Amino acid sequence: MVAGLAVTVAPMAVLAVAHNAQAKQTTPEKSLYERLGGVFAIAAVVDHFSDAVVKNKIVGQRSKNSQLRKWHTKNLGRLPGLKFMRTLWVCDVSGGPFKFTATKPGTTPLGLEEAHRDLRISPAEFDEVAAELGRTLDFFKVPKPEKAEVMAAFAAHKDEVTAGYVAAKRG
């Protein structure tokens, strides 16, 4: 009887393993957007991050970079819109349903390089903003794999964001 049970159960176990393997193959991996918790979770992170950057001693209101200092003191009326645009950007690059299109106030298309050119953000300042982002992700207890993906997406734009600084140093 035990032998008969083993013969009956063994094929069922093989089928279960095969079914699980097939389910893993046909079930698409969740997007980073989904793993981050969607638009509301992303907006909360962006809100916290944006406020932290304003208060950051290196890149915020007390920055030695006069352009950053000015933006974080004289242009804070634009911060809610910037938070919105940052939220759209993260949603877009993480595979969410929202699409980001950078624009000047109004409808003129604006790339990251042009948007940051006048701020003359140095590579070290960019790295400090990245560090602030990392601290924010830690604050929200974002798991390491997702944190790494967000940080990599941010770092991928370092050359664009620091182009104004590089050009000013050459020029």
Side-chain angles (χ1 to χ4, degrees):
M1 177 144 168
V2 173
L5 186 56
V7 170
T8 304
V9 172
M12 293 170 103
V14 170
L15 286 175
V17 169
H19 175 71
N20 286 339
Q22 185 180 17
K24 287 180 183 178
Q25 289 175 350
T26 59
T27 304
E29 184 179 322
K30 286 185 175 182
S31 68
L32 178 58
Y33 172 82
E34 292 170 306
R35 290 180 283 132
L36 290 172
V39 67
F40 294 103
I42 291 169
V45 169
V46 168
D47 183 61
H48 183 276
F49 164 74
S50 298
D51 291 344
V53 169
V54 169
K55 293 180 181 353
N56 185 290
K57 292 177 184 177
I58 297 170
V59 295
Q61 293 174 325
R62 296 184 184 161
S63 177
K64 291 180 183 177
N65 176 330
S66 61
Q67 290 85 358
L68 285 174
R69 188 174 59 249
K70 179 181 175 187
W71 200 101
H72 288 114
T73 55
K74 308 253 187 233
N75 292 322
L76 288 180
R78 292 186 61 206
L79 189 58
L82 181 59
K83 288 178 180 184
F84 174 76
M85 297 300 281
R86 285 176 175 164
T87 299
L88 284 179
W89 184 82
V90 174
C91 288
D92 189 7
V93 300
S94 65
F98 303 97
K99 296 301 166 214
F100 171 78
T101 304
T103 60
K104 286 185 178 182
T107 59
T108 307
L110 183 67
L112 286 174
E113 184 175 332
E114 186 180 342
H116 294 88
R117 182 179 299 127
D118 291 342
L119 296 175
R120 296 186 182 153
I121 298 169
S122 72
E125 290 164 339
F126 181 93
D127 292 345
E128 179 58 26
V129 173
E132 196 65 68
L133 176 58
R135 289 188 287 273
T136 298
L137 295 171
D138 290 342
F139 176 83
F140 283 94
K141 296 178 177 42
V142 173
K144 286 182 183 182
E146 286 75 17
K147 178 183 175 182
E149 287 183 61
V150 171
M151 297 302 290
F154 185 83
H157 298 283
K158 185 173 184 174
D159 288 345
E160 292 168 86
V161 173
T162 60
Y165 174 85
V166 172
K169 287 292 180 193
R170 283 189 206 144

